[in-house]
Amino acid sequence: IDTDKVYMDIYVSPDGDDNADGSQAAPYKTILRAKKKALEVSDDMTGNIVIHIADGTYRLNETLNFTSEDSGKNGYKIIYKGDNLMTKPLISGGEKVENWEKADEYVWKAKVENVEDTRQFYVNGYAAQRARSKYVYSPIEYYHKEGSKFENDGLILSANNFPEIKNNIQGVELVWKYVWA
């Protein structure tokens, strides 16, 4: 088997159209459409299928899942790659946050529709620091679960340290710098 042989090239561009044919002259718009095309023709592969992803941002409205079916057949591969060495395609399920308002000296806020919770935030392509307290809190007590193999299974903090969240404890997530539980 010639593992460098190309059976088909499929092209994707943010300016493409998912109703196009996926050629270089008429690329698909989404990676999902290119993935579906590769699966449609993969049973007859006699070389690799190469999906060329042009520079730009590809926004996802749903999770893009890959299975073993997406890796190729007949001893050949389905290869996803940037269009050239100088491009950096970005696949994002994120929402752009705009219209920032200053809430106080240290806090800025913005409303984002259709987002209930977030764990990651990026500014100009770099991971931003999550909100945090400027204080370091000490536990008032540790606790141990019966039958646990650990000496301490958790800690208890005073609610007085968090006066603004006492009445909304269901929405609290605590990230502790020194231990994880």
Side-chain angles (χ1 to χ4, degrees):
I1 291 180
D2 179 2
T3 58
D4 292 331
K5 183 178 176 186
V6 175
Y7 175 69
M8 178 180 285
D9 288 296
I10 301 173
Y11 293 85
V12 184
S13 169
D15 300 323
D17 182 345
D18 279 351
N19 293 316
D21 63 10
S23 66
Q24 190 169 12
Y28 294 127
K29 182 175 184 69
T30 64
I31 295 168
L32 180 60
R33 179 62 183 100
K35 176 181 179 286
K36 286 180 181 177
K37 176 65 177 181
L39 287 177
E40 288 170 11
V41 300
S42 65
D43 284 342
D44 299 323
M45 292 175 73
T46 57
N48 296 326
I49 296 174
V50 181
I51 299 176
H52 302 268
I53 304 171
D55 191 27
T57 300
Y58 297 86
R59 298 233 175 255
L60 302 179
N61 296 324
E62 59 188 80
T63 303
L64 181 59
N65 291 311
F66 291 92
T67 68
S68 59
E69 290 288 310
D70 298 299
S71 63
K73 296 179 182 167
N74 308 329
Y76 296 101
K77 302 172 187 169
I78 298 175
I79 301 166
Y80 292 79
K81 67 181 213 166
D83 204 23
N84 66 56
L85 293 175
M86 301 305 291
T87 64
K88 290 174 55 175
L90 174 66
I91 302 169
S92 175
E95 293 286 331
K96 188 171 185 176
V97 180
E98 299 177 305
N99 301 316
W100 288 91
E101 299 174 11
K102 194 167 187 175
D104 65 36
E105 184 180 358
Y106 300 105
V107 177
W108 286 79
K109 66 180 182 176
K111 186 164 182 66
V112 180
E113 300 294 329
N114 303 317
V115 175
E116 293 180 25
D117 191 13
T118 182
R119 302 213 30 90
Q120 298 170 342
F121 189 70
Y122 290 82
V123 177
N124 298 327
Y126 294 96
Q129 176 98 26
R130 291 181 68 190
R132 61 190 171 146
S133 172
K134 62 183 177 180
Y135 304 106
V136 176
Y137 299 109
S138 297
I140 57 174
E141 181 180 342
Y142 291 94
Y143 68 87
H144 174 74
K145 283 186 184 177
E146 191 65 38
S148 170
K149 65 180 181 176
F150 301 106
E151 182 180 337
N152 294 314
D153 292 298
L155 50 92
I156 298 171
L157 299 170
S158 171
N160 293 332
N161 289 329
F162 310 97
E164 295 174 12
I165 60 171
K166 276 190 206 179
N167 298 325
N168 185 21
I169 199 72
Q170 292 78 19
V172 173
E173 175 181 346
L174 177 64
V175 178
W176 196 257
K177 183 177 179 178
Y178 305 105
V179 292
W180 181 88

